[in-house]
Amino acid sequence: MKAFAYVSPATAQDALAALKAGGIVRPLAGGQDLLARMKDYVETADTLVNVKQALDSTVTPAAGGLRIGAAVTLDALSRNAQVLRLYPALAEAAGKVGSPQIRHQGTVGGNLNQRPRCWYFRQEEFVCFKKGGNRCFSVDGENQYNAIFGNDGPSKIVHASSLAVPCVAYGARFVIAGPNGEREVPAAEYFTLPTMQNVKKENILGDDELLTHVVLPAPGRIRSGHYEVRFKESRDWPMAFATVVVTTRGGVVDSARVVLGAVAPTPWRSEAAERALVGKPLNAASAEAAAEAAVVGAKPLSQNAYKIQITKTAVTRAILDAAGLKA
Ligand SMILES: Cc1cc2nc3c(=O)[nH]c(=O)nc-3n(C[C@H](O)[C@H](O)[C@H](O)COP(=O)(O)OP(=O)(O)OC[C@H]3O[C@@H](n4cnc5c(N)ncnc54)[C@H](O)[C@@H]3O)c2cc1C
Ligand code: SF4
């Protein structure tokens, strides 16, 4: 690994100041992603700014919802009583990440900002669009784990964060601190589809900014469900997953949010699946109809058409989970 400077500021303000050290400066949280990339020479940094002391590591009530600090670990998130009660899909997603060791070390901020897992991105030798090159190797190469939606742009990654999907489904807002103060954006607007102009990034965060909090709105009368399809019981990332958030009135769905994971470069909201659910009772028939609707328009690459079927399974089972009929 290339030598680097290391600073460990005590406050968010000092961390933001440290990001301006000059050269390549990166925030370091649990290091589960960043240090692995540095060891593999996929990323080189001149300075690492440890943000674990500088950022909030608590979950606190906020206007009927919750405010989750970026330095909260995935393990703490998955076990937090309020998260389990109000936003069970988020707790489940956090509790399924990797292994106990990874969940103890990894943080909310690091999980949401982790870089893609595309095999070519992770190999030093392949200088693809995401690393400043002029081609995407997955187009004619190994693309079984790549996107089936939103893959018209230069990069065909799937977003790697398991937390991003329930955050979008629950209507979370992300709080960002930067040199000019604080800004807040809906989670759905944080993540970006690749274009030639922004292909090296997966979100709107500037190099001089930090994600400081996730704010979850008061849940009201929502019911939610989550389902991940993984390779056997592997610790690897899910191959497709879904979070579903619904409200019902008079026995039928009156609002729905269906968000898919591991199928697109961003958490992928399926408005077609949501339309298929609204006005219907929550049961196996409506779940299957919504799952069929969710995959209309999928454009698989040469090796990942199997993802259409497992995406349908994930949507069906997430809806049954929301209905209290977990498969
Ligand atoms: C075997 C294995 C299996 C895994 N399975 C899953 C899985 O199923 N689902 C899943 O979601 N993840 C999975 N992961 C990834 C793991 O969850 C992430 O690597 C981890 O959450 C990253 O958190 P961290 O705190 O260690 O981040 P770090 O590695 O410290 O940082 C990750 C990135 O985020 C940036 N960053 C960190 N904090 C902030 C902040 N506050 N503001 C702005 N930028 C920030 C860093 O600069 C870096 O680029 C797996 C990892 C492994 C090794
Ligand atoms: S999918 Fe993206 S990360 Fe993977 S090779 Fe193509 S450009 Fe690179």
Side-chain angles (χ1 to χ4, degrees):
M1 192 192 287
K2 176 181 162 291
F4 57 88
Y6 172 80
V7 289
S8 192
T11 68
Q13 280 315 314
D14 288 348
L16 288 171
L19 289 180
K20 293 193 202 146
I24 301 173
V25 187
R26 295 283 178 254
L28 171 71
Q32 298 290 290
D33 173 39
L34 179 58
L35 295 181
R37 276 187 277 125
M38 289 173 70
K39 286 179 187 170
D40 289 342
Y41 292 95
V42 172
E43 173 96 41
T44 51
D46 300 305
T47 304
L48 294 189
V49 179
N50 174 23
V51 294
K52 285 198 298 298
Q53 330 299 333
L55 299 181
D56 185 10
S57 60
T58 65
V59 177
T60 46
L66 291 178
R67 184 174 164 96
I68 299 170
V72 170
T73 66
L74 300 174
D75 179 69
L77 185 70
S78 72
R79 292 168 188 272
N80 181 279
Q82 295 309 311
V83 179
L84 281 161
R85 188 171 67 85
L86 302 174
Y87 312 101
L90 184 62
E92 184 173 339
K96 288 205 156 104
V97 167
S99 63
Q101 293 88 339
I102 292 165
R103 295 194 292 274
H104 273 93
Q105 190 71 20
T107 63
V108 168
N111 183 275
L112 292 168
N113 289 290
Q114 64 178 296
R115 304 297 316 277
R117 301 307 303 188
C118 175
W119 287 341
Y120 299 105
F121 178 74
R122 294 276 157 172
Q123 297 286 327
E124 185 192 357
E125 295 78 15
F126 292 95
V127 184
C128 66
F129 282 129
K130 275 230 171 267
K131 292 188 281 193
N134 59 8
R135 62 176 286 204
C136 170
F137 294 92
S138 81
V139 172
D140 302 313
E142 301 291 338
N143 54 38
Q144 54 266 53
Y145 300 121
N146 291 64
I148 58 170
F149 292 105
N151 55 11
D152 300 329
S155 173
K156 284 75 173 79
I157 59 151
V158 296
H159 202 281
S161 169
S162 293
L163 302 190
V165 170
C167 281
V168 171
Y170 283 124
R173 296 181 71 80
F174 288 177
V175 183
I176 297 168
N180 302 319
E182 211 171 79
R183 62 186 176 125
E184 203 175 301
V185 296
E189 291 172 23
Y190 185 78
F191 304 102
T192 49
L193 284 170
T195 63
M196 282 314 287
Q197 288 69 43
N198 75 356
V199 68
K200 290 190 196 168
K201 292 173 66 74
E202 290 82 48
N203 56 50
I204 60 165
L205 198 75
D207 284 346
D208 54 359
E209 293 182 308
L210 289 170
L211 178 66
T212 64
H213 292 90
V214 171
V215 180
L216 288 156
R221 54 192 176 83
I222 59 168
R223 303 162 72 164
S224 55
H226 185 80
Y227 194 86
E228 300 185 0
V229 181
R230 287 172 178 269
F231 186 71
K232 297 185 179 170
E233 289 298 307
S234 121
R235 287 180 180 158
D236 239 333
W237 283 255
M239 295 150 86
F241 65 107
T243 304
V244 172
V245 176
V246 294
T247 56
T248 56
R249 196 180 287 277
V252 297
V253 174
D254 66 349
S255 79
R257 212 172 272 178
V258 177
V259 187
L260 314 177
V263 295
T266 61
W268 192 256
R269 189 166 165 191
S270 173
E271 291 181 8
E274 294 167 4
R275 281 194 299 274
L277 273 182
V278 171
K280 306 285 187 324
L282 271 184
N283 58 27
S286 64
E288 279 166 28
E292 288 295 339
V295 297
V296 172
K299 288 190 196 154
L301 304 169
S302 59
Q303 299 174 347
N304 66 4
Y306 74 95
K307 279 200 175 191
I308 292 177
Q309 181 55 46
I310 61 172
T311 301
K312 286 198 279 185
T313 302
V315 172
T316 305
R317 294 189 179 195
I319 294 169
L320 294 179
D321 185 25
L325 304 168
K326 196 160 188 159

